[in-house]
């Protein structure tokens, strides 16, 4: 809504006062968009984790979270439960 208000050169409060349903719809659509992007980001990190585990195993190294995080593009995504689960699952699928 901030961007729309800026583009129209109108205060955000004025927009939400005169068009509350439209503002809510726009905000909901944006929230859904951001959630979709976040899910795709997490899924991509899960795939990277699987690949990193495989790479480390091939090198004969233990795939610890620290080592795997050095090989993926967004190591901060280990804060998400799904990425940690992907690491655990990848470790269990590959024998050491």
């Amino acid at each position: 809504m901030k961007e729309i208000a800026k583009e129209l050169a109108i205060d955000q409060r004025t927009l939400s006062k005169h068009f509350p349903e439209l503002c809510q719809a726009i905000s909901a659509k944006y929230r859904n968009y951001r959630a979709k992007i976040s899910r795709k980001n997490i899924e991509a990190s899960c795939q990277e984790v699987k690949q990193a585990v495989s790479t480390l195993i091939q090198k004969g190294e233990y795939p610890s979270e620290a080592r795997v995080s050095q090989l993926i593009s967004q190591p901060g995504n280990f804060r998400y439960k799904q990425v940690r689960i992907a690491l655990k699952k990848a470790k269990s699928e590959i024998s050491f």
Side-chain angles (χ1 to χ4, degrees):
M1 289 312 306
K2 186 188 292 187
E3 290 294 321
I4 293 171
K6 186 177 178 181
E7 197 172 304
L8 296 173
I10 298 174
D11 187 52
Q12 267 185 275
R13 285 190 227 156
T14 305
L15 274 177
S16 61
K17 180 180 177 183
H18 293 287
F19 307 102
E21 298 88 15
L22 185 59
C23 290
Q24 289 173 356
I26 291 170
S27 294
K29 187 174 181 178
Y30 182 70
R31 273 192 307 275
N32 290 337
Y33 164 77
R34 293 296 302 162
K36 183 179 177 181
I37 294 297
S38 179
R39 282 191 303 272
K40 283 185 177 182
N41 186 13
I42 291 170
E43 288 172 11
S45 288
C46 289
Q47 291 300 321
E48 283 187 75
V49 164
K50 290 176 186 177
Q51 182 62 39
V53 168
S54 178
T55 301
L56 288 169
I57 294 296
Q58 288 174 358
K59 289 181 178 179
E61 297 179 24
Y62 180 76
S64 66
E65 185 176 319
R67 286 186 180 141
V68 171
S69 68
Q70 292 173 347
L71 298 176
I72 65 174
S73 61
Q74 295 182 340
N77 282 350
F78 269 110
R79 69 181 175 269
Y80 298 115
K81 187 177 182 178
Q82 299 94 318
V83 178
R84 291 191 312 274
I85 290 171
L87 174 62
K88 190 174 184 176
K89 186 175 178 182
K91 284 182 187 180
S92 69
E93 289 176 355
I94 299 174
S95 59
F96 296 100

